[in-house]
Structure formats: C-alpha cells, structure tokens
Amino acid sequence: MKPTSDPDLNAILQDLVTSVQTILGPNFVGAYLQGSFALGEWDSHSDVDFLVVIDHPLSDAELAALQEMHGRIYDRPSPWAQHLEGSYFPRDLLKQEDHARTPLYYLDNGSRELILSNHDNELVVRWVTREYGLTLAGPDADSLVATVPAKDLRQEVLTTMHTWGREILAGEYPIDNRWAQPFAVLSYCRMLHTLHTARITSKLAAARWAQATLDSRWVDLIQRAWDDRPDPSVKVRQPADPKEVERTLAFIEYAISHTAGKHNSQGRR
C-alpha cells in the first residue's frame, strides 16, 4: 500500500486498513482517504482524513475491537498515528443525503477513541470522497457515494457559513486561541470558494483564491492564518492575538453579508 509519498504514513494506513478488515470481516466494504490527502495538497500538519464504509451498523463486539485497535495505533511511535481522523459510514447512508445527519462512530484528530458524531455526515465529505477519494481497499468510491448536486452542495455550505458564523459572533464558538482563529479564517475562504465554484478545494488553494479575489484588506489576515497552521495541538492551548480575533470576526461578518441574499432566497433545507 503506497497511497501517499510518505512511507511512515503508508505503514500506519496499512496497519489501519488490514486491522479494520480483520475485525469487520464481511461487514467491511471499503476504506478511503479524503480531505487534503485526496485533494492533493497536504503537509506534515494535515489531518489524515479516512472513511471506512461498512455494510451495516457496528455490533458491540466490533466496536470494542475497533476501540482497542485505534488505541494501539495511537501508541505507535509515529506522529501520523495521532493525526488519524475519520468515520465508519454505513453503505446506505452514502447513497443519499442524510438530512437527519445521523451520528456515526468517529475518530477525532488527536484522539484514541471512537465517539458518536455527525462530523463527517455531510455533503462536503461525500463530494470529496466521490470526486477525489483515494481507495485504500474496496471498490472505487464513486460506486458507493451518490453524486452530490451543485445546488445541494452550495446550500449546505451556505447554511454552515451562516449558522456557524452566528455562533462565532455570539461567542458560542470561541475563536480566542491560535488554532481556532486561523482555522475560522481558512474555513471561510474554503466556503466562499465553494459557493463560487460548486467544488471543494484544499485550504491552501482556497486561501490563494481568496487573496486574489476578495477585498484586498483581507490579504494579510489570510496569509497569517495560513502561516499559523503548524503545531495545532500546541496552539489550541495558546491565546490568540485579540486584534487577530477582532479582524477574524470582521472577516466572518464580511463573508456573511456577501452571501446573505443567497441564503435568504434559498432558505434552510
């Protein structure tokens, strides 16, 4: 298995996939890389976003074995072992949009334990997996994931942009640390790019697009957000510069105001 140019990461992925296949047996359908590795612009600070397709929901015995396996891999002497992030997706949920956003068993970056979360149960993940997903085992992803219509992808991103933005502006989602503040800036660049193109691109490509396309007063904020990506596990515990937080809130207000008409005309799904 050589899905990436990093031999150490390939060894971690080999361990993950063969272990999952052994544990799940006939319940295993396929395993895929999505996110920045699928989009082709990753670096040593990228999440290793995976998606495992299963035939039916996990049994208690399967879940217990997977929990033990993820803990074992987390303890391997490789930084990649602590940056795995992904979900176990029942096959039937990939064939259509799940408006209820059913929680899936999900491994967060930096975690050793699966939890129930709807983090990956969204059209954005489906789109990236279908269009660019790297097959680690199983059939090609486009045979399992339904096509995501452009209007539906845009509407999901619009809804996220506005609902998350309201939470940030109200202080319900704090961005006062050196991980969350640049993460918010780069995320809004990506969402604006998707609204413009009906496609998903990498954080770097979206940042470059935003610097070239949006009002020039945001160029330096976006550049600093990109430059501040390294060592997220450290920076999440460090306070952000209050001036950067203030400018990020202004950037979010700018993004929301420039899409408010579209959001109001299309409405929530």
Side-chain angles (χ1 to χ4, degrees):
M1 182 185 293
K2 296 182 179 180
T4 78
S5 59
D6 189 304
D8 187 28
L9 175 55
N10 292 341
I12 296 296
L13 292 171
Q14 179 76 52
D15 189 356
L16 172 69
V17 173
T18 55
S19 298
V20 169
Q21 288 175 308
T22 299
I23 291 168
L24 297 182
N27 194 18
F28 177 86
V29 177
Y32 308 89
L33 276 183
Q34 54 105 4
S36 55
F37 283 89
L39 293 168
E41 290 188 343
W42 58 273
D43 58 26
S44 59
H45 308 291
S46 297
D47 298 341
V48 184
D49 296 295
F50 69 88
L51 189 150
V52 173
V53 183
I54 53 180
D55 188 63
H56 52 266
L58 298 173
S59 68
D60 290 344
E62 288 171 335
L63 177 59
L66 290 172
Q67 296 284 30
E68 186 281 330
M69 179 269 296
H70 280 295
R72 176 184 60 77
I73 291 179
Y74 183 91
D75 290 334
R76 286 186 56 157
S78 165
W80 293 117
Q82 292 86 50
H83 291 297
L84 294 175
E85 179 172 333
S87 294
Y88 289 80
F89 237 114
R91 180 205 300 255
D92 61 336
L93 285 182
L94 287 173
K95 286 298 184 183
Q96 57 189 352
E97 181 178 2
D98 178 18
H99 293 287
R101 292 196 65 195
T102 304
L104 311 170
Y105 279 105
Y106 164 72
L107 183 74
D108 196 3
N109 181 14
S111 177
R112 58 188 300 130
E113 183 176 352
L114 295 167
I115 61 171
L116 281 172
S117 171
N118 61 11
H119 183 277
D120 288 338
N121 191 0
E122 58 182 20
L123 294 181
V124 167
V125 170
R126 286 172 172 81
W127 190 93
V128 173
T129 303
R130 177 181 170 85
E131 301 297 328
Y132 290 104
L134 300 177
T135 301
L136 303 176
D140 289 343
D142 61 6
S143 69
L144 299 173
V145 185
T147 301
V148 178
K151 65 180 181 60
D152 293 344
L153 183 64
R154 283 191 169 109
Q155 183 57 56
E156 179 179 272
V157 169
L158 266 174
T159 298
T160 299
M161 178 179 289
H162 284 254
T163 56
W164 187 32
R166 286 194 295 268
E167 292 172 357
I168 293 174
L169 294 172
E172 298 168 4
Y173 185 101
I175 60 166
D176 57 356
N177 65 73
R178 289 184 64 199
W179 172 81
Q181 179 269 318
F183 174 74
V185 172
L186 297 175
S187 294
Y188 271 83
C189 290
R190 291 183 87 179
M191 289 188 286
L192 288 168
H193 179 270
T194 296
L195 293 182
H196 183 72
T197 65
R199 301 184 65 79
I200 310 297
T201 191
S202 68
K203 288 186 179 73
L204 176 58
R208 288 172 173 166
W209 170 86
Q211 288 176 308
T213 305
L214 304 181
D215 192 304
S216 61
R217 72 181 185 271
W218 307 117
V219 169
D220 61 331
L221 176 72
I222 294 167
Q223 187 61 50
R224 285 194 298 274
W226 178 257
D227 293 341
D228 215 24
R229 285 181 65 250
D231 302 318
S233 61
V234 173
K235 288 177 178 172
V236 73
R237 297 189 293 272
Q238 298 175 340
D241 182 335
K243 292 182 179 179
E244 290 293 270
V245 173
E246 183 178 349
R247 289 206 68 205
T248 300
L249 295 175
F251 179 59
I252 292 170
E253 290 178 329
Y254 163 86
I256 289 175
S257 67
H258 277 66
T259 59
K262 295 179 181 178
H263 183 67
N264 293 334
S265 65
Q266 293 184 34
R268 291 179 65 95
R269 287 170 295 168

